Amino acid sequence: MRVLEGEYWKEIPLYSEISQYQWKDWKWQIKNRLKTLEDIKKILPNVNEDVFKKVSQIYHFGTTPYYIFLADRTNLEDPILKQILPDEKEIDEKYQEGAFLDPFLEDEKSPVPGLTHRYPDRVLFRATNFCSVYCRHCMRKRMFLEDERARTKQEYDVMFEYIKSNKAIKEVLVSGGDPLTLPNQKIEYIIKNLYEIDHVDIIRIGSRELVSNPFRFYDEELLEIFEKYDKVWIVTHFNHPNEITSETKKAVKNILSTGTPVLNQTVLLKGINDDKYTMENLMRSLLKVKIKPYYLFHCDPTKGVYHFKTGIEKGLEIMEHLRGRVSGLGNPTFAVDLVNGLGKVPLLPEYLISKKNGFYEFKNYQGKTVKIKI
């Protein structure tokens, strides 16, 4: 965990006059996002202008001042910069072969606009297509092609009615975009209406604000909403240990004080975190700030993202490394999300080698084998 002390942001000349009150105001962070080539060159003068212009015209760019501060701004190969800077591979068919704009048929399996119903007991509630940071690996990168907008109250109401009419639905994943970029009034409208549906047991909010704008969780009004509606769970999205700071720790502590659990989903990304020691560091760092690792996802076959994919074997190698070196608390489920909306499948290294004459042969995390009768 990186400890950020004093007025740390002032090391960037662009922010030398910014007060603590401004910097730690989540609305200021969103209002002052870097969105254009002119913006980013004030911090990264060596960025490739031609690539930035060409790619960002198709898949737009955006980042908070806080998130870009976390990067090594002298190194364009920095794992944080690689998650946000446009890359020519995003629009190169050679790298995107076999990928789709909507590989999981979220739009096709949408009984009403904005709602995806893939599993019998849960639905995806897409509240907005806006994010404070646009990740180059986003599974819904097709939304980058649209104008930024939140859905309307009328659209939400249609979604609520569908959920009310389907009593098999026990869990609602509120996502986007990032739903926690919405105003508190709108967030409470969504949560309150879902909370009052008796057969909904869990309201899971998927958000990257804890990574890119942790000051969102310094907002007392938002924390009061979480405390008021105790069906809420937060699922965040850290991909690299450099994203975890003392600001993260404070934000998580605020969330946990409301009785709201915090889980994390990581995506395995080539050149960013496809290293067993980096992943071990990430899982340990998450546990230090009391975030439970939940999923490690193989990179989705989404057009504009597929250059980040590794082999399945890389994920299994990482999981085999984590087992026995990090406690069960820090071992996520490695999973592949199947195309055509067929759902997630978990993958594990093979520890059962053979079964013969009532004896089972196992291999442990060190590669040692043992035969036992069970």
Side-chain angles (χ1 to χ4, degrees):
M1 180 184 72
R2 180 179 175 185
V3 177
L4 302 175
E5 297 180 316
E7 296 180 323
Y8 56 85
W9 56 91
K10 292 191 175 183
E11 73 177 51
I12 298 180
L14 181 61
Y15 303 125
S16 62
E17 300 301 318
I18 300 304
S19 69
Q20 179 170 289
Y21 176 81
Q22 290 172 301
W23 183 262
K24 297 193 177 185
D25 176 1
W26 71 273
K27 293 179 182 177
W28 184 91
Q29 287 284 335
I30 290 180
K31 183 179 180 181
N32 290 276
R33 287 186 311 146
L34 308 171
K35 298 185 287 186
T36 67
L37 177 61
E38 291 68 30
D39 289 339
I40 199 67
K41 280 186 68 65
K42 294 172 185 175
I43 294 179
L44 300 175
N46 296 327
V47 70
N48 187 315
E49 295 186 21
D50 292 338
V51 169
F52 190 100
K53 287 177 183 177
K54 186 193 303 184
V55 179
S56 63
Q57 285 175 355
I58 301 170
Y59 297 120
H60 48 250
F61 165 81
T63 183
T64 57
Y66 168 83
Y67 191 63
I68 203 163
F69 172 86
L70 301 182
D72 175 357
R73 297 173 297 280
T74 66
N75 175 18
L76 294 180
E77 293 299 305
D78 175 83
I80 288 175
L81 293 182
K82 289 184 77 169
Q83 291 183 67
I84 56 175
L85 287 181
D87 185 328
E88 204 160 16
K89 296 186 185 76
E90 296 173 46
I91 56 174
D92 187 334
E93 285 302 319
K94 178 176 67 176
Y95 292 96
Q96 304 305 323
E97 185 179 358
F100 310 90
L101 276 177
D102 185 10
F104 310 123
L105 305 183
E106 289 185 337
D107 293 334
E108 185 175 318
K109 292 180 179 290
S110 184
V112 298
L115 198 77
T116 298
H117 196 170
R118 283 204 292 164
Y119 297 95
D121 69 328
R122 73 208 88 140
V123 292
L124 170 68
F125 187 109
R126 284 172 284 153
T128 179
N129 71 0
F130 175 86
C131 288
S132 55
V133 170
Y134 288 108
C135 307
R136 311 321 294 179
H137 57 273
C138 181
M139 65 172 292
R140 298 195 184 100
K141 201 155 181 174
R142 65 189 185 277
M143 294 192 309
F144 285 33
L145 308 174
E146 305 169 2
D147 293 332
E148 296 175 333
R149 81 170 188 95
R151 295 191 181 274
T152 64
K153 176 181 179 295
Q154 290 72 27
E155 288 177 297
Y156 293 153
D157 290 343
V158 173
M159 295 155 80
F160 297 142
E161 287 304 314
Y162 177 85
I163 296 168
K164 286 177 187 175
S165 67
N166 286 265
K167 290 188 166 41
I169 297 171
K170 305 299 182 188
E171 183 171 345
V172 179
L173 168 55
V174 183
S175 187
D178 197 314
L180 295 185
T181 61
L182 295 171
N184 290 332
Q185 183 179 14
K186 207 160 196 174
I187 292 171
E188 182 161 23
Y189 184 77
I190 294 169
I191 293 176
K192 180 177 185 293
N193 276 275
L194 294 174
Y195 184 87
E196 291 175 349
I197 301 173
D198 289 340
H199 56 88
V200 171
D201 298 328
I202 296 172
I203 302 166
R204 187 179 1 151
I205 298 177
S207 173
R208 206 165 191 232
E209 286 296 276
L210 194 53
V211 182
S212 60
N213 189 10
F215 313 112
R216 185 66 180 100
F217 305 96
Y218 292 12
D219 178 2
E220 291 293 338
E221 189 176 46
L222 179 66
L223 297 173
E224 286 170 8
I225 292 170
F226 291 165
E227 189 160 19
K228 188 174 178 181
Y229 303 102
D230 59 3
K231 294 181 181 180
V232 172
W233 292 56
I234 299 291
V235 180
T236 187
H237 180 59
F238 288 87
N239 288 324
H240 196 276
N242 292 357
E243 296 172 327
I244 301 173
T245 72
S246 49
E247 303 284 19
T248 313
K249 184 175 182 178
K250 180 179 176 181
V252 175
K253 188 174 182 179
N254 289 344
I255 298 167
L256 295 176
S257 73
T258 71
T260 305
V262 185
L263 308 178
N264 185 72
Q265 297 181 160
T266 294
V267 179
L268 183 57
L269 300 169
K270 185 176 182 179
I272 293 174
N273 61 14
D274 58 333
D275 170 80
K276 59 189 179 183
Y277 299 107
T278 299
M279 200 65 76
E280 178 183 347
N281 187 1
L282 173 61
M283 299 307 153
R284 292 188 184 281
S285 298
L286 288 167
L287 292 180
K288 283 180 183 178
V289 296
K290 297 189 176 179
I291 300 174
K292 170 70 176 78
Y294 174 40
Y295 268 121
L296 171 62
F297 284 119
H298 182 67
C299 184
D300 293 327
T302 302
K303 191 173 284 293
V305 170
Y306 222 27
H307 56 292
F308 286 118
K309 72 181 173 79
T310 68
I312 292 287
E313 294 76 15
K314 175 57 68 174
L316 292 172
E317 174 196 327
I318 287 170
M319 292 305 299
E320 193 162 11
H321 174 81
L322 292 177
R323 178 64 60 186
R325 292 179 176 85
V326 180
S327 82
L329 286 172
N331 275 256
T333 297
F334 178 47
V336 175
D337 207 346
L338 302 178
V339 296
N340 298 324
L342 294 176
K344 300 175 183 68
V345 291
L347 298 174
L348 285 169
E350 189 59 70
Y351 295 107
L352 175 61
I353 297 173
S354 65
K355 173 189 172 185
K356 189 174 182 181
N357 300 326
F359 283 87
Y360 292 81
E361 184 176 11
F362 295 98
K363 177 185 74 171
N364 78 348
Y365 74 99
Q366 297 169 312
K368 296 177 179 178
T369 61
V370 61
K371 283 185 179 181
I372 55 177
K373 191 168 186 177
I374 300 177

